[in-house]
């Protein structure tokens, strides 16, 4: 039985358990108003949390001050899922500040007070993060890339935060500019498909999933981001005959054909539909080849003409 | 004051709060033994958790069975920070199974039982995830790339799991093969530097940080991964004179010079030290140009010779 172990990826200890915590519409407390607190505050508000920030107004970073001044955040909304910020202008007051909180983040200079807050949270089993004090953190933050619905977190488990930032920048440079729009496009296509093919039987569900997969795999992320109402309709027209149309199937105009002929969109070296055509080795090398060929012909012709 | 808001990135609601949960040396319960449970189990063991898995042995996926059969996981270790797996061959027994648990993950088909487990966990404020039932999840899992100490999580907040996988694969294709080794190299260099320059005064700490940053920024991730004992020593030799040596400074042999002359490592188009030289537009285009130039010269010479 122990030979079976070889079939599966080996356990590689030393990782973190990276998770997407559900803080939407839940109350979270930020203690402190400096630069670190500003980052915590953004992360919580982006995740639609109901944030209370406790810090003396004499001690606010410009970013925290600007969030507090932002009426779209501080005016209570009757709609659900709207992030909100309640500001309390004083130092942390004790246990009463933890009432109803589902998460607590402290970013203050007073180490003793931080430790006491951490202890109170742990007694109440409220997840807590004390900035810069790892043993007092139930969780850490990492370097995040955000593109609309897409989030990418880069973590080195604290071993190389600067490298984490470099990896983050490298990823940012690699992502198609509108990858967030690509994800929104897929979402819209899926919901439109459900209107066209609304069967709830197993066969229809499976055919829908299969068709969506085949369509998505024919489009690069950059192409998906460009999918507008017209293209979506043409793609959906393929459903009846179970045809999965790609980007060039619905954009076969003159420009499309020219681009296609130049090799954009069908670079043989790309191993995924998501290579950037402008960085495609085939396109680059062949452009270089044509340029060099021309230069060679012109130069040699000129030189040989002089010789003769 | 409201104009100040413009200076800072706008809040973009709709994100998740992605965090690295500290489960190392803490007890976690997995209920279920199928394919989903296998994924949960790996994630927890990779994060050095002390896992208890409860599931009837009649119902185990091959992967879960292989983990249970792996003595390196199931033999208690006296060293700390070693992941461990305790297997209990039965169905979930009730509240007593939650005793001492810091996290609970269920992946079973019984929806009613899952809901009851979720409720018990929430009463006890134990973070819980019920597979496939979002309202019963305090947190979600995402698509993860792992390279040693580096972890990258891709999340679309459930909007496009297939796109998340494509983004993950695109990232995998972009990362230098040995980026994990690069992070380890930086860690080793930093600890060696602390031996050479062990001052604890503010000036020394700042000079160390500044020097580390300057050195790191001179090395691509691929180059850092290659940094061996000899290179590290030569780099450390630069500390006294406050010189930050790059990869080519410590590898200026014949091969190094040849590679340097070919433009590898100093492609003018790369905007970061982490471009892959083999994919550098400058290198590709200029190789193509040279190839084309040669072909042009040879072809034109041949044709013109025939004409004459």
């Amino acid at each position: 039985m122990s030979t079976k172990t070889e079939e599966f990826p080996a356990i590689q200890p030393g990782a973190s358990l990276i998770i997407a915590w559900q803080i939407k519409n839940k109350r979270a407390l930020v203690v402190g108003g400096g630069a670190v607190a500003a980052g915590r505050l953004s992360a919580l508000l982006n995740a639609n949390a109901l944030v209370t920030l406790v810090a003396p107004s004499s001690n606010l970073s410009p970013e925290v001050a600007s969030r507090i001044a932002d009426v779209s955040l501080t005016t209570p909304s009757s709609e659900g899922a709207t992030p909100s910020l309640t500001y309390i202008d004083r130092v942390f007051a004790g246990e009463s500040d933890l009432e109803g909180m589902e998460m607590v983040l402290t970013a203050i200079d007073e180490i003793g007070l931080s430790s006491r807050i951490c202890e109170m949270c742990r007694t109440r089993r409220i997840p807590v993060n004390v900035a810069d004090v790892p043993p007092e953190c139930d969780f850490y933050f990492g370097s995040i890339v955000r593109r609309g619905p897409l989030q990418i977190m880069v973590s080195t488990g604290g071993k190389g935060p600067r490298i984490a930032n470099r990896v983050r920048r490298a990823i940012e440079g690699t992502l198609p500019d509108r990858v967030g729009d690509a994800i929104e496009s897929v979402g819209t296509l899926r919901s439109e498909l459900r209107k066209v093919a609304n069967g709830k039987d197993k066969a229809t569900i499976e055919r829908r999933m299969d068709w969506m997969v085949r369509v998505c795999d024919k489009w690069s992320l950059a192409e998906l981001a460009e999918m507008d109402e017209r293209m979506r309709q043409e793609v959906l027209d393929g459903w009846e005959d179970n045809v999965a149309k790609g980007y060039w199937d619905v954009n076969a105009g003159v420009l499309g054909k020219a681009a296609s002929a130049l090799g954009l969109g069908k670079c043989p070296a790309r191993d995924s539909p998501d290579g950037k055509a402008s960085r495609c080795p085939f396109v680059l090398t062949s452009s270089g080849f044509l340029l060099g060929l021309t230069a060679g012909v012109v130069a040699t012709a000129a030189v040989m003409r002089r010789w003769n």
Side-chain angles (χ1 to χ4, degrees), chain A residues 7-80:
Chain A
E7 292 170 31
F8 303 102
I11 297 299
Q12 288 184 274
S16 296
L17 190 73
I18 301 189
I19 54 181
W21 193 263
Q22 299 308 294
I23 196 73
K24 183 169 159 176
N25 284 345
K26 290 181 188 159
R27 293 185 64 197
L29 177 70
V30 175
V31 183
V36 174
R40 305 299 195 234
L41 181 59
S42 293
L44 287 170
L45 292 172
N46 282 335
N48 298 61
L50 312 176
V51 186
T52 300
L53 187 137
V54 174
S57 56
S58 54
N59 235 338
L60 300 179
S61 74
E63 185 173 343
V64 168
S66 87
R67 302 296 181 205
I68 292 170
D70 182 348
V71 287
S72 72
L73 294 173
T74 44
T75 308
S77 159
S78 53
E79 298 162 50

Side-chain angles (χ1 to χ4, degrees), chain A residues 106-157:
Chain A
T106 83
I108 51 177
D109 291 331
E110 298 86 343
I111 296 174
L113 177 58
S114 289
S115 292
R116 284 203 303 284
I117 296 174
C118 173
E119 228 171 274
M120 289 184 224
C121 289
R122 289 196 168 155
T123 306
R124 284 162 186 72
R125 300 192 62 89
I126 303 170
V128 63
N129 173 291
V130 174
D132 293 329
V133 188
E136 297 183 348
C137 290
D138 293 331
F139 54 91
Y140 301 144
F141 291 90
S143 202
I144 295 265
V145 180
R146 172 93 188 271
R147 292 280 188 283
L150 176 71
Q151 282 175 284
I152 299 169
M153 189 224 215
V154 180
S155 162
T156 58

